[in-house]
Amino acid sequence: MFDFIRRSMMARLAALVRLAALGAVAILTSGAQSSCSVGDPSQIPQPRDESGDGPTFTTTLVLKDAAGVAKNTFQAGDLITFELSVRNRTTQPVELDFRSGQQYDFFAFTSGSTDLVWLWSSTALFTQAESTLTFAAGETRVFSVTWAQGNRGSYEARGVVLFDGLETNRQAPHQLGSTLVPFTIN
């Protein structure tokens, strides 16, 4: 009897491992690549006010071509890398809590509107478990994804570390969200 229960539990565990592996494959092949790393602070624009007044975070978005060159004009079919840099301006560690494994997102809107053209998270899978992101004092983290776009037009991009209220207004100003970055696809 115990042998049957043990085999049943082992079979369930094996199924969970296979499911996790399948999820990992789905993320890697979903049409967008993403990464997170601790950035080189010398490459990130520094805020002018280091007095401790102002926001806890400084958040910037840069768009890059396949060669890694920052630009705002692309050709139809080019890969566009969205690179979000988030810096803890304080001298203390800051911990951010999330309701799932998703901690950041990227958007592309039709220029001058709230019409969503692309939402990175719609191409990714996330664990449903709560997660935490901790920034050390002065730490900069860089989150990046690549969009294999194809439509010509004028757009605005935004990257964010998730914050309360984002679900109701993806363009809401917030220290964890970049400003809208205009770009064109010819």
Side-chain angles (χ1 to χ4, degrees):
M1 174 73 171
F2 291 113
D3 188 45
F4 171 76
I5 293 172
R6 186 170 39 127
R7 278 187 278 137
S8 176
M9 289 176 66
M10 293 301 287
R12 287 182 184 164
L13 180 59
L16 284 173
V17 169
R18 284 191 300 273
L19 183 60
L22 180 61
V25 169
I27 289 170
L28 293 174
T29 60
S30 66
Q33 300 172 354
S34 68
S35 65
C36 170
S37 62
V38 175
D40 176 359
S42 68
Q43 301 297 313
I44 307 300
Q46 300 299 311
R48 293 185 193 138
D49 177 16
E50 295 292 332
S51 67
D53 295 337
T56 301
F57 294 98
T58 301
T59 306
T60 57
L61 177 67
V62 176
L63 304 181
K64 295 183 176 183
D65 64 14
V69 176
K71 58 193 292 190
N72 293 84
T73 302
F74 302 89
Q75 296 302 311
D78 285 353
L79 295 176
I80 302 174
T81 297
F82 291 60
E83 188 174 280
L84 180 69
S85 299
V86 183
R87 179 174 176 260
N88 174 6
R89 296 179 64 243
T90 72
T91 58
Q92 301 294 319
V94 177
E95 188 173 278
L96 302 174
D97 297 316
F98 302 93
R99 292 178 279 230
S100 73
Q102 182 184 4
Q103 299 176 338
Y104 56 92
D105 211 343
F106 293 88
F107 313 96
F109 303 95
T110 301
S111 186
S113 77
T114 59
D115 296 337
L116 189 62
V117 175
W118 179 68
L119 172 64
W120 169 74
S121 61
S122 69
T123 65
L125 299 174
F126 305 99
T127 178
Q128 294 304 305
E130 294 179 356
S131 62
T132 301
L133 182 60
T134 302
F135 286 81
E139 179 181 17
T140 297
R141 291 201 181 212
V142 178
F143 306 90
S144 64
V145 300
T146 301
W147 181 30
Q149 55 72 33
N151 298 321
R152 293 185 169 108
S154 295
Y155 302 97
E156 294 174 312
R158 185 174 196 208
V160 300
V161 170
L162 302 184
F163 58 86
D164 287 336
L166 180 65
E167 308 84 26
T168 58
N169 182 357
R170 292 183 174 123
Q171 294 182 2
H174 196 279
Q175 66 179 328
L176 289 173
S178 73
T179 58
L180 292 172
V181 175
F183 69 103
T184 303
I185 300 173
N186 294 319

